[in-house]
Amino acid sequence: MSVLLQNEYLTVTLELERSVVRSTRSEVPYASPDEFIRVHTEALQIYESLERASLGHLVDIRRPAMNNDPAFEAATMRTRSMICQEFAAVAVVVRTAVGALQVNRLLREENNDNVVVFHDDDVAMGYLLQELGKRVRRSSAPPGGRSRSSRPSVRPARVR
């Protein structure tokens, strides 16, 4: 595992053997919405240096206290989409049902259905590995080939 970014608010690591980027939020509250933007702009520079289309992204936000201050949410809207932008699959791990509701509300506001919310880190990682495995199988299928499964594709539930 390689540490790509580490500060008092956020740690970003790359688990190359699993093809997963992990962004883990600390319990330290952001001093201001501007500080949130600064930290996440720094993280975006890291994300942009990666081949995101072949990576999963696990976002662990279990440790910080929730912040639903409208001014903070407005400022963070500019940076939230970069967390999932261009990654093959994204899983967000939250601590509480209320946290899942808040994350899902924000995702709906952005019309972002590319992110799945979980309560369990291992289940979230399993989801990412499964999604990455599907991409590998699809890319190794012959051109124009069809899936051998007769089952319809099913979208995962929003919270697991």
Side-chain angles (χ1 to χ4, degrees):
M1 177 170 55
S2 302
V3 176
L4 305 176
L5 173 69
Q6 187 164 27
N7 58 47
E8 66 182 310
Y9 304 108
L10 185 66
T11 300
V12 178
T13 60
L14 173 61
E15 297 180 35
L16 195 54
E17 62 283 349
R18 290 181 166 189
S19 298
V20 173
V21 173
R22 179 184 293 264
S23 297
T24 305
R25 181 66 176 86
S26 77
E27 67 280 350
V28 177
Y30 290 108
S32 67
D34 289 340
E35 185 66 1
F36 176 94
I37 292 168
R38 184 194 65 74
V39 169
H40 287 273
T41 299
E42 191 176 339
L44 178 58
Q45 292 172 344
I46 299 296
Y47 302 152
E48 287 177 340
S49 73
L50 302 169
E51 186 61 43
R52 290 177 280 180
S54 64
L55 296 170
H57 191 186
L58 193 149
V59 181
D60 184 346
I61 56 174
R62 291 176 289 181
R63 292 173 65 191
M66 288 184 358
N67 184 348
N68 61 359
D69 173 48
F72 184 82
E73 283 188 3
T76 63
M77 181 179 277
R78 290 180 278 169
T79 59
R80 284 192 306 254
S81 64
M82 73 182 172
I83 292 171
C84 55
Q85 190 175 24
E86 298 179 22
F87 283 98
V90 181
V92 176
V93 183
V94 297
R95 183 172 18 108
T96 66
V98 173
L101 289 171
Q102 182 179 9
V103 170
N104 280 319
R105 176 180 57 82
L106 296 172
L107 292 170
R108 274 191 316 275
E109 287 174 5
E110 295 171 357
N111 295 317
N112 188 339
D113 60 356
N114 186 38
V115 180
V116 182
V117 179
F118 298 88
H119 292 290
D120 182 274
D121 189 86
D122 291 334
V123 175
M125 183 62 78
Y127 164 77
L128 290 176
L129 296 176
Q130 179 182 16
E131 290 300 305
L132 291 170
K134 287 179 187 176
R135 287 182 175 263
V136 168
R137 286 189 296 278
R138 272 185 266 164
S139 67
S140 64
R146 296 175 52 106
S147 169
R148 294 180 185 203
S149 174
S150 61
R151 295 185 314 164
S153 173
V154 177
R155 215 66 205 124
R158 288 304 256 173
V159 179
R160 296 190 178 187

